[in-house]
Amino acid sequence: MAMIALHCPEIEVVVVDINEERIKAWNSDVLPIYEPGLFEVVKEARGRNLFFSTDTKKHVGEADIVFVSVNTPTKTSGIGAGRAADLTYWEGAARLIASVATSSKIVVEKSTVPVKTAEAISKVLKRNCSDPSVQFEILSNPEFLAEGTAIEDLKKPDRVLIGGAETESGQKAIQALKSVYEHWIPSERILTANLWSAELAKLTANAFLAQRISSINAISALCEATGADVQQVAHAIGTDSRIGPKFLNASVGFGGSCFQKDILNLCYVCESVGLKEVADYWLNVVSMNDYQKNRFVERVITSMFNTVAQKKIAILGFAFKKDTGDTRETPAIDVCKGLIRDGGKCCIYDPEVKPDQIFRDLSTPKFEWDRPNYSKSASHILQNVQIATTPAEAVDGAHAICVMTEWDEFKKYDFKAMYEKMVKPAFVFDGRNILDHAALREIGFIVYSIGKPLDPFLQKSY
């Protein structure tokens, strides 16, 4: 929305939310999320034609186009639990729109939703609007940006996709939204489709990207078992123009708000229409991601003489990727929980993630993180978690370092000084393959890196 406001000064953009604290943050100099370049965009447009408000009824009622970007978490109970998307918040938004609408509106799906959601939302809108003259056109306009590079992705996107009904009014609505994007995006990069294709395209895009990560992670396990180097393998196949080099970095696993949720949603849709084999195929992408995280935890524990009980483990990075403060489905959660279950004590440092967020993530049940106002529990797991304000504090007295996020600053640390303050033998488990492993070994570290030939110290002698 901020990018639209920046490039379309003649259009008034109002972001509404029922959360007063969040709106206060959007109106301050400390935004509620971290994204490189976002503050500069917001600052330039805020107060001119970009506004943030809690008066949802007023602004939704006045709007010509309403973008809906509410959470669509995975259901935790009932039919489809663990796979299907929970559309409670979407339905609530539709009821609000219908209740305040006094003029016809274009309602745009920005949230990732199951195929045919527009059909259900249309029924809610029509049945809850008291004015029969009000008409609603629903468009699907999924977001394909990546956190950490979101601003650049918005400035120069590979494509913008707009799906709408194949009717005269539906096509007119598509053109209305297309004209907004054409303020800064070439027309040939704005793709149009029917509603169902646009909704499915978002799920499919995330499934394909996650599939590439799980594929190279599967090969990383084979590389470790055979002495091959996964980075050399990835480079060899990535130079094939049919494959390409992107999303071929082996790691501890993928995270973020979309990949797992969208694949599970895709699986549920497949099962709902009788395509069990298709659902099973995509579910294996998630299973491989879980396997990779579990494999990493097992490697840490077995390397440290089969136990981490009462041992301090420095966790460098908690965000699911660099240049963001987002921790949703971050692999660090499962890794920390796995180490803690074995008795380990995790000392976590991340340059952007706040302590309260880390505590909430480690004490929140699976899938509950995507719901508003989830809070920190009194879980015993927190007794074995400490938050460090500096990397030096995190590694002081630690038995091992686990790199969970590929923050650039981690590559610049004085690991020799860190080594001196650690318990020996000192281990580094590089879950992102970003460090200079030869230099670390020269210092004296025992090093494990994903998909690389194993350090002799880590090889079993039986």
Side-chain angles (χ1 to χ4, degrees):
M1 295 302 100
M3 191 62 67
I4 290 177
L6 179 69
H7 289 283
C8 309
E10 77 282 8
I11 298 176
E12 181 179 293
V13 178
V14 183
V15 178
V16 296
D17 199 305
I18 60 174
N19 188 316
E20 291 186 8
E21 290 303 314
R22 189 174 295 134
I23 290 298
K24 285 180 181 177
W26 280 115
N27 282 315
S28 73
D29 288 339
V30 183
L31 303 186
I33 62 173
Y34 173 74
E35 182 69 38
L38 175 60
F39 178 72
E40 289 75 16
V41 173
V42 170
K43 187 177 180 180
E44 184 169 343
R46 190 171 59 194
R48 182 190 69 189
N49 64 321
L50 174 62
F51 306 93
F52 299 91
S53 173
T54 56
D55 194 344
T56 55
K57 292 183 178 180
K58 175 182 183 296
H59 295 293
V60 171
E62 294 175 350
D64 299 305
I65 302 178
V66 180
F67 290 82
V68 182
S69 303
V70 296
N71 289 358
T72 52
T74 303
K75 289 185 70 174
T76 56
S77 60
I79 297 175
R83 296 196 187 184
D86 185 344
L87 299 179
T88 299
Y89 307 118
W90 228 118
E91 183 181 339
R95 291 181 185 279
L96 170 65
I97 294 167
S99 70
V100 300
T102 56
S103 60
S104 296
K105 301 185 185 301
I106 298 172
V107 179
V108 184
E109 298 174 339
K110 292 301 285 185
S111 308
T112 304
V113 295
V115 183
K116 298 286 186 177
T117 295
E119 188 174 69
I121 296 306
S122 179
K123 294 175 182 177
V124 174
L125 289 168
K126 291 176 180 177
R127 294 300 181 94
N128 286 275
C129 183
S130 59
D131 188 340
S133 68
V134 172
Q135 299 297 312
F136 298 100
E137 281 297 334
I138 301 177
L139 300 179
S140 175
N141 178 215
E143 204 66 77
F144 295 104
L145 56 82
E147 292 186 57
T149 58
I151 297 301
E152 289 305 311
D153 293 344
L154 287 168
K155 287 179 179 177
K156 297 179 180 179
D158 293 332
R159 81 291 201 196
V160 170
L161 177 61
I162 305 173
E166 295 176 308
T167 61
E168 183 178 347
S169 58
Q171 294 303 300
K172 185 178 179 180
I174 288 175
Q175 290 304 313
L177 182 55
K178 184 179 179 183
S179 68
V180 173
Y181 285 115
E182 284 176 333
H183 281 70
W184 78 97
I185 298 170
S187 181
E188 61 270 19
R189 289 195 179 186
I190 304 175
L191 313 181
T192 60
N194 67 40
L195 268 171
W196 322 132
S197 297
E199 289 179 338
L200 184 57
K202 172 62 173 177
L203 296 179
T204 305
N206 281 339
F208 269 61
L209 293 174
Q211 179 193 49
R212 285 176 68 94
I213 297 173
S214 280
S215 294
I216 198 64
N217 281 344
I219 297 302
S220 76
L222 181 59
C223 286
E224 290 174 30
T226 60
D229 186 323
V230 72
Q231 289 182 323
Q232 294 177 6
V233 173
H235 179 67
I237 66 173
T239 53
D240 187 326
S241 60
R242 297 168 300 174
I243 298 173
K246 294 185 178 180
F247 281 78
L248 289 180
N249 293 320
S251 69
V252 67
F254 61 74
S257 65
C258 292
F259 282 2
Q260 176 170 290
K261 181 184 72 171
D262 289 357
I263 292 174
L264 293 175
N265 192 352
L266 182 64
C267 291
Y268 182 72
V269 171
C270 291
E271 290 172 341
S272 298
V273 295
L275 300 175
K276 182 181 182 301
E277 289 79 6
V278 178
D280 290 344
Y281 172 82
W282 287 110
L283 190 59
N284 282 329
V285 174
V286 176
S287 298
M288 179 54 62
N289 195 52
D290 290 337
Y291 166 76
Q292 187 76 343
K293 290 181 286 187
N294 291 334
R295 194 170 73 84
F296 186 86
V297 171
E298 289 176 5
R299 180 68 71 184
V300 173
I301 294 172
T302 56
S303 298
M304 298 174 67
F305 317 109
N306 217 36
T307 181
V308 293
Q310 300 303 311
K311 294 176 181 177
K312 178 180 178 180
I313 312 295
I315 306 295
L316 295 185
F318 199 80
F320 84 92
K321 63 185 290 188
K322 71 174 184 177
D323 295 331
T324 180
D326 195 343
T327 62
R328 291 175 290 182
E329 294 292 354
T330 174
I333 294 174
D334 288 331
V335 169
C336 287
K337 286 183 176 181
L339 295 174
I340 291 169
R341 278 194 295 270
D342 198 68
K345 295 181 177 295
C346 294
C347 188
I348 303 167
Y349 170 76
D350 189 286
E352 287 297 334
V353 182
K354 295 177 173 57
D356 283 352
Q357 184 66 50
I358 295 174
F359 285 129
R360 282 197 299 268
D361 288 336
L362 290 176
S363 59
T364 301
K366 194 172 182 65
F367 301 130
E368 290 292 339
W369 54 264
D370 204 17
R371 298 172 186 278
N373 302 319
Y374 72 93
S375 59
K376 182 173 68 174
S377 76
S379 172
H380 71 280
I381 201 170
L382 302 182
Q383 297 173 5
N384 289 330
V385 176
Q386 178 186 351
I387 309 301
T389 57
T390 65
E393 179 186 349
V395 303
D396 190 11
H399 290 252
I401 296 171
C402 292
V403 179
M404 292 288 99
T405 311
E406 68 277 22
W407 287 105
D408 290 333
E409 70 173 66
F410 293 170
K411 305 173 190 177
K412 303 172 185 176
Y413 289 167
D414 184 350
F415 282 97
K416 190 174 190 309
M418 290 181 170
Y419 179 79
E420 296 300 326
K421 293 187 176 182
M422 293 176 66
V423 177
K424 310 302 184 295
F427 296 82
V428 170
F429 299 93
D430 189 354
R432 296 292 177 176
N433 285 353
I434 62 169
L435 303 180
D436 185 336
H437 303 138
L440 292 173
R441 291 190 175 100
E442 186 69 24
I443 292 170
F445 283 106
I446 309 300
V447 181
Y448 166 74
S449 51
I450 300 283
K452 299 275 192 169
L454 290 178
D455 189 300
F457 189 95
L458 303 179
Q459 293 177 359
K460 294 180 179 179
S461 57
Y462 54 88

